[in-house]
């Protein structure tokens, strides 16, 4: 039996390693594609690019690892079934559960390693990755600007004809378009003969020093008829300094998955501590707002006064005042109602944002356990599925693996996004994909153990092949006659 265990473990490890390396390389290319704008044309040396990729690699492990386990399981057990090795084992009295025993132990160890990796390595890599992207402009400030084209940097569009110097911080023929403010006014264009980029590792501000230049600023006249004259202000300077916030150089598009959140940089203990603080802060703000709004509305004071003077008050309170006072009272009441509604809506939005932040931290906490369970789940889906379909290699197993993993990943992403918006609890959002695919794993394991195929593939493929054969037989004789 030890010989069989060694054989199965060796076969699975070889397939798993090959699949893992290939998928890891594919996802690394995807990472490069996502951040190509930060790497291409920035005059970055090889060391900075390698660091960038190294810090981004651990982020893709939660995607690569379950898919690798699933595909390796299908391929391994599919090859064994296709080559009738399973038939030989079963004829010798070795069941599927016995054959899977050594691999279950390996998957258990792999799940522990995956949890440790998600709890320690990935948060550290996230922290280093985000800070590396923030500090990369300080290490090489010229990376923000590419020669011969306009570069969107914060509130400015900057174009230089040539860069020189040891770090490319010497600029020639600088043209700057300052973006308009929220009102769309005061558009400014700055041109200078030379410039220099100055940065410091201790500061988050990048200084752009301009020499011998002019600036042109559009002016919006107060009178509408004067706007047709297109007035502007022209000035000359010997030296001008523009400060640029380095955080603007590292903004991530909102359509991409946010990586700047602190929840991805924390382990389980830190997440629990942070969640405790966030929940206490939310509870305190709810209590504080409730007391504040009650005092503003005067509910307690008004109710107590009503109870004390209930017998003395007339049925129509407004009859006690004149028409002028009635108008003033109604205006004051309307103003108070509008103010209170605005305050409630503003606070409600703030409370939703804080609850969304709590949900993100809870999802990050559960994700560390989901990745460990996903390895088990994918193995118990892939191994019996491979034994059922009896197909190895890279054909049909890849189709099944991709379909199952896309389903798992889509449900997982949908559940996390829905839970962050409060559509369901973070626990259900994180574990929903596992709960949905768990019955499939149980069903496949049961069917494979009892030698009951889930689908008769021959019943599907045979009629199709016969149809193509009849078509070819009718078509080929017609060609020969011609």
């Amino acid at each position: 039996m030890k010989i069989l265990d060694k054989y199965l473990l060796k076969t699975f490890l070889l397939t798993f390693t090959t699949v893992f390396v290939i998928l890891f390389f594919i996802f690394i290319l995807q990472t490069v594609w996502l951040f190509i704008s930060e790497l291409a044309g920035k005059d970055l040396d090889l060391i900075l690019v390698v660091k960038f990729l190294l810090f981004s690699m651990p982020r893709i492990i939660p995607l690569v690892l379950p898919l690798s386990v699933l595909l390796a399981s299908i391929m391994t057990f599919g090859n064994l079934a296709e080559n009738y090795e399973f038939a030989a084992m079963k004829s010798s009295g070795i069941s599927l559960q016995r054959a899977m025993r050594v691999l279950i132990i390996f998957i258990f160890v792999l799940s522990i390693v995956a949890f440790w990796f998600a709890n320690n390595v990935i948060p550290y890599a996230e922290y280093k990755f985000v800070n590396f992207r923030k500090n990369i402009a300080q290490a090489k400030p010229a990376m923000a600007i590419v020669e011969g084209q306009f570069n969107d940097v914060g509130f400015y569009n900057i174009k230089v004809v040539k860069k020189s110097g040891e770090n490319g911080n010497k600029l020639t023929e600088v043209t700057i378009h300052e973006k308009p403010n929220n009102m769309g006014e005061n558009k400014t264009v700055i041109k200078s003969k030379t410039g220099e980029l100055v940065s410091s590792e201790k500061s988050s501000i990048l200084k752009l020093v301009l020499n011998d230049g002019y600036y042109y600023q559009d002016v919006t006249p107060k009178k509408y008829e004067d706007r047709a004259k297109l007035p502007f202000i022209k000035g000359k300077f010997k030296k001008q300094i523009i400060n640029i916030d380095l955080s603007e150089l590292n903004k991530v598009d909102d359509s991409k998955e946010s990586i700047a959140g602190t929840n991805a940089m924390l382990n389980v203990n830190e997440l629990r501590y942070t969640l405790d603080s966030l929940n206490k802060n939310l509870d305190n703000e709810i209590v504080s707002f409730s007391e504040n709004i009650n005092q503003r509305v005067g509910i307690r004071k008004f109710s107590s006064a009503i109870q004390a003077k209930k017998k003395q008050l007339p049925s129509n309170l407004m009859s006690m005042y004149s028409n002028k006072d009635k108008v003033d009272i109604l205006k004051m009441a309307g103003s108070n109602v509008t103010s209170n509604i605005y305050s409630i809506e503003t606070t409600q939005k703030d409370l939703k944002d804080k609850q969304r932040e709590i949900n993100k931290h809870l999802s990050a906490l559960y994700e560390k356990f989901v990745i460990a369970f996903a390895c088990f789940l994918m193995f118990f889906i892939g191994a019996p599925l491979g034994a059922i379909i009896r197909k190895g290699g890279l054909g049909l197993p890849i189709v099944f693996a991709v379909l199952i993993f896309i389903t798992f990943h889509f449900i997982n992403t949908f559940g996390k996004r829905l839970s962050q918006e409060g559509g369901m609890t973070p626990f259900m959002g994180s574990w929903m994909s596992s709960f949905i695919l768990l019955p499939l794993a149980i069903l496949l394991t049961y069917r494979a153990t009892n030698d009951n195929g889930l689908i008769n593939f021959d019943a599907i493929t045979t009629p199709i092949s016969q149809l193509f054969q009849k078509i070819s037989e009718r078509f080929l004789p017609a060609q020969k006659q011609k």
Side-chain angles (χ1 to χ4, degrees):
M1 299 303 292
K2 291 183 179 180
I3 297 176
L4 178 61
D5 291 337
K6 290 181 180 179
Y7 173 72
L8 291 175
L9 184 60
K10 179 181 177 181
T11 304
F12 182 83
L13 285 177
L14 182 61
T15 307
F16 174 78
T17 305
T18 305
V19 171
F20 183 85
V21 172
I22 294 174
L23 293 177
F24 193 81
F25 179 74
I26 293 173
F27 279 91
I28 283 293
L29 292 180
Q30 182 192 22
T31 302
V32 174
W33 178 258
L34 289 175
F35 298 102
I36 191 66
S37 60
E38 299 186 21
L39 300 176
K42 302 297 185 179
D43 295 335
L44 297 177
D45 52 29
L46 182 60
I47 296 177
L48 290 178
V49 175
V50 171
K51 284 184 178 180
F52 187 92
L53 294 177
L54 285 176
F55 292 147
S56 63
M57 282 180 183
R59 302 175 62 242
I60 65 177
I61 294 297
L63 292 174
V64 176
L65 190 59
L67 181 57
S68 299
V69 172
L70 175 63
L71 187 54
S73 302
I74 297 176
M75 292 175 63
T76 301
F77 284 83
N79 281 324
L80 292 174
E82 187 178 14
N83 297 326
Y84 299 101
E85 292 177 282
F86 262 141
M89 284 189 292
K90 291 178 180 179
S91 64
S92 302
I94 302 174
S95 62
L96 178 63
Q97 294 93 327
R98 176 60 186 86
M100 293 171 58
R101 188 174 66 181
V102 64
L103 296 180
I104 292 175
I105 297 174
F106 170 76
I107 295 298
F108 178 76
V109 176
L110 183 65
S111 300
I112 296 176
V113 174
F115 174 78
W116 176 86
F117 192 88
N119 189 45
N120 296 279
V121 179
I122 293 180
Y124 176 77
E126 286 289 327
Y127 173 79
K128 298 294 291 185
F129 181 64
V130 173
N131 283 275
F132 180 76
R133 294 180 64 207
K134 289 182 179 180
N135 298 329
I136 194 171
Q138 295 174 336
K140 200 173 184 65
M143 66 159 286
I145 300 173
V146 181
E147 291 181 356
Q149 68 183 47
F150 280 99
N151 303 269
D152 190 6
V153 182
F155 296 101
Y156 304 95
N157 283 319
I158 303 175
K159 178 182 178 181
V160 299
V161 175
K162 184 180 180 181
K163 294 191 300 183
S164 59
E166 182 179 357
N167 295 320
N169 58 337
K170 303 291 184 180
L171 310 178
T172 305
E173 297 294 334
V174 183
T175 303
I176 300 175
H177 290 178
E178 184 177 353
K179 298 178 182 179
N181 55 21
N182 294 332
M183 300 301 295
E185 300 176 350
N186 298 332
K187 296 180 181 179
T188 304
V189 178
I190 304 173
K191 296 180 69 70
S192 67
K193 294 182 180 179
T194 60
E196 182 181 2
L197 292 169
V198 181
S199 65
S200 173
E201 295 183 359
K202 298 180 180 179
S203 174
S204 61
I205 301 300
L206 176 65
K207 292 183 178 181
L208 176 58
V209 182
L210 303 175
N211 302 311
D212 297 328
Y214 297 86
Y215 72 89
Y216 308 88
Q217 186 176 34
D218 292 338
V219 178
T220 304
K222 294 182 179 180
K223 295 182 178 180
Y224 183 80
E225 57 270 13
D226 293 337
R227 297 184 181 183
K229 300 178 182 179
L230 301 177
F232 69 94
I233 299 174
K234 178 182 178 181
K236 182 180 181 181
F237 59 86
K238 286 291 183 181
K239 182 178 181 180
Q240 183 175 353
I241 298 176
I242 297 177
N243 295 323
I244 302 173
D245 189 358
L246 289 177
S247 61
E248 298 293 332
L249 306 179
N250 301 285
K251 277 192 173 181
V252 183
D253 189 3
D254 292 335
S255 61
K256 299 177 184 177
E257 185 178 359
S258 177
I259 61 171
T262 57
N263 54 339
M265 307 177 193
L266 305 177
N267 57 31
V268 172
N269 294 329
E270 292 169 342
L271 282 170
R272 288 175 176 172
Y273 178 81
T274 305
L275 282 169
D276 184 63
S277 300
L278 291 174
N279 283 313
K280 287 182 179 179
N281 185 22
L282 180 62
D283 295 338
N284 292 335
E285 185 165 345
I286 292 174
V287 173
S288 176
F289 175 74
S290 300
E291 294 176 352
N292 183 31
I293 199 67
N294 286 337
Q295 290 178 359
R296 291 179 59 181
V297 176
I299 293 178
R300 297 178 181 176
K301 182 178 179 181
F302 180 75
S303 60
S304 60
I306 290 294
Q307 293 295 333
K309 300 180 180 181
K310 187 174 182 180
K311 297 181 180 180
Q312 302 176 4
L313 294 174
S315 58
N316 186 5
L317 293 177
M318 297 297 291
S319 63
M320 300 173 58
Y321 301 95
S322 63
N323 292 333
K324 182 180 179 182
D325 292 337
K326 290 179 182 179
V327 173
D328 294 338
I329 291 173
L330 291 175
K331 288 182 178 179
M332 185 181 299
S335 177
N336 290 335
V337 170
T338 303
S339 176
N340 290 330
I341 290 175
Y342 177 77
S343 177
I344 292 172
E345 290 177 350
T346 304
T347 305
Q348 185 179 20
K349 183 178 181 300
D350 184 54
L351 293 177
K352 286 183 178 180
D353 292 338
K354 291 190 175 183
Q355 184 62 50
R356 187 181 295 110
E357 191 67 21
I358 292 175
N359 293 339
K360 288 181 180 179
H361 282 73
L362 284 172
S363 297
L365 176 64
Y366 296 135
E367 278 296 311
K368 301 183 186 303
F369 298 92
V370 170
I371 184 177
F373 182 76
C375 295
F376 261 107
L377 181 65
M378 293 303 167
F379 175 76
F380 279 99
I381 291 177
L385 183 61
I388 290 173
I389 64 176
R390 299 177 182 178
K391 297 289 183 181
L394 296 174
L396 195 59
I398 289 183
V399 176
F400 278 100
V402 170
L403 290 176
I404 294 172
F405 182 76
I406 288 177
T407 303
F408 176 82
H409 183 63
F410 173 78
I411 297 174
N412 189 35
T413 304
F414 175 76
K416 286 194 298 182
R417 295 292 173 86
L418 191 61
S419 64
Q420 289 174 6
E421 297 299 327
M424 64 173 60
T425 62
F427 177 83
M428 284 301 301
S430 299
W431 287 94
M432 184 169 62
S433 56
S434 300
F435 291 157
I436 291 176
L437 292 182
L438 182 60
L440 177 62
I442 297 174
L443 175 63
L444 290 174
T445 304
Y446 173 79
R447 302 285 289 186
T449 303
N450 293 275
D451 293 329
N452 295 325
L454 188 64
I455 300 174
N456 188 0
F457 290 94
D458 292 334
I460 299 175
T461 57
T462 301
I464 296 175
S465 61
Q466 290 177 354
L467 177 62
F468 279 103
Q469 184 177 1
K470 290 180 180 179
I471 293 174
S472 61
E473 288 177 353
R474 292 181 180 179
F475 183 72
L476 289 177
Q479 281 188 339
K480 289 180 181 180
Q481 291 176 1
K482 291 182 180 181

